[in-house]
Amino acid sequence: MPGLSELEKIIGYEFRDKELLKTALIHSSYASEKGLGYSRNNERLEFIGDAYVDAVVGTRLFEIMGDAHEGSLSRYRADVVCEAALANAASDISLGDFLYLGNGEDANGGRKKASILSDAFEALMGAIMLDGGYDECSRIILCILGNKIEQAASGSLNRDFKTRLQERVQEKDKSAKIEYRLSGESGPDHNKTFETELIINGKMCGKGKGSSKARAEQAAAEDALSKGAY
């Protein structure tokens, strides 16, 4: 694994308390495997980070959308702070490379799982808040998520790939038949991976995997959109 100082350079913040940074990167699977106490995994920091990410993103949207109603602000904030969007932000800073994962989770592709990445992103922001205060935390969040906030405010950040796909398909064929078929599942009951195929008018147009059937369907829709199937 790369050194933690490399992550500090990427995010533009140097921790005074390096243990806070390390804790933010420790997944529960690693803590359990190593016999560490609950306080040594990143779930408590995730709780803190979740609140501050919401607050910073919400405040910025409030500032740049002066005439927006509360409902609109809530929807736009949800676009920025949803699991998929935060996982993408985590990927932008290569956060998966720095995570401490249990051997099984690592072998199962945990460094690329949206749920793990988004939780770790929130934990990292929580650690920055505790280490450097709200202003520093806000600065880092806006540095990483600023473009996504601007896109959300303009209505161009839509992470609901199923809705986007449906709208695009129906623009061409209002009678088109769109189906999501479960093609497989693997893993233990507490940590399953689902595989889904997207079928449009009898033709397979996309495939996706996810930790739930809903996420697998979103991934299949994203796959179809990314390939220009529609």
Side-chain angles (χ1 to χ4, degrees):
M1 287 176 56
L4 298 186
S5 60
E6 185 175 336
L7 177 58
E8 291 178 313
K9 291 178 183 178
I10 292 172
I11 64 175
Y13 179 78
E14 184 174 350
F15 277 79
R16 293 188 290 266
D17 183 351
K18 304 298 184 184
E19 284 302 308
L20 262 179
L21 171 57
K22 186 172 181 179
T23 300
L25 303 174
I26 294 178
H27 186 255
S28 57
S29 62
Y30 180 91
S32 177
E33 191 174 280
K34 299 298 183 181
L36 304 178
Y38 177 75
S39 62
R40 289 304 310 280
N41 73 40
N42 65 7
E43 291 177 2
R44 283 168 52 83
L45 288 174
E46 175 201 339
F47 171 79
I48 292 290
D50 175 59
Y52 281 94
V53 171
D54 275 8
V56 171
V57 172
T59 299
R60 182 58 183 150
L61 285 170
F62 180 86
E63 292 170 348
I64 64 179
M65 300 182 69
D67 58 352
H69 289 253
E70 181 272 340
S72 296
L73 290 171
S74 294
R75 287 194 299 273
Y76 289 134
R77 181 177 62 188
D79 283 343
V80 179
V81 304
C82 70
E83 181 180 282
L86 292 186
N88 285 337
S91 296
D92 289 343
I93 60 174
S94 302
L95 189 56
D97 295 343
F98 299 91
L99 298 180
Y100 295 89
L101 301 177
N103 290 328
E105 191 65 71
D106 201 359
N108 287 326
R111 297 184 187 280
K112 295 183 179 181
K113 285 186 179 178
S115 58
I116 290 177
L117 287 173
S118 62
D119 288 350
F121 181 85
E122 290 176 336
L124 179 60
M125 296 306 110
I128 293 172
M129 201 288 299
L130 293 177
D131 189 72
Y134 181 82
D135 287 346
E136 278 297 282
C137 179
S138 179
R139 179 179 70 83
I140 301 301
I141 291 172
L142 292 177
C143 182
I144 298 172
L145 296 178
N147 287 338
K148 290 180 172 61
I149 294 171
E150 296 288 341
Q151 290 170 11
S154 67
S156 61
L157 183 66
N158 184 354
R159 308 309 298 178
D160 185 352
F161 296 108
K162 288 181 66 176
T163 298
R164 288 170 58 187
L165 178 91
Q166 183 173 334
E167 291 173 347
R168 189 169 299 183
V169 170
Q170 291 184 340
E171 284 177 0
K172 298 181 178 181
D173 181 2
K174 292 187 181 298
S175 63
K177 184 178 181 181
I178 303 173
E179 300 176 84
Y180 292 90
R181 296 177 185 172
L182 183 66
S183 58
E185 55 183 88
S186 59
D189 288 340
H190 69 280
N191 189 26
K192 279 189 175 297
T193 296
F194 297 89
E195 301 178 23
T196 294
E197 294 179 345
L198 168 61
I199 312 296
I200 303 177
N201 290 334
K203 178 183 177 182
M204 203 274 287
C205 295
K207 294 182 179 180
K209 295 182 179 181
S211 57
S212 69
K213 293 178 182 178
R215 289 171 182 163
E217 290 176 359
Q218 287 284 352
E222 181 182 11
D223 182 46
L225 288 167
S226 67
K227 293 190 297 189
Y230 270 90

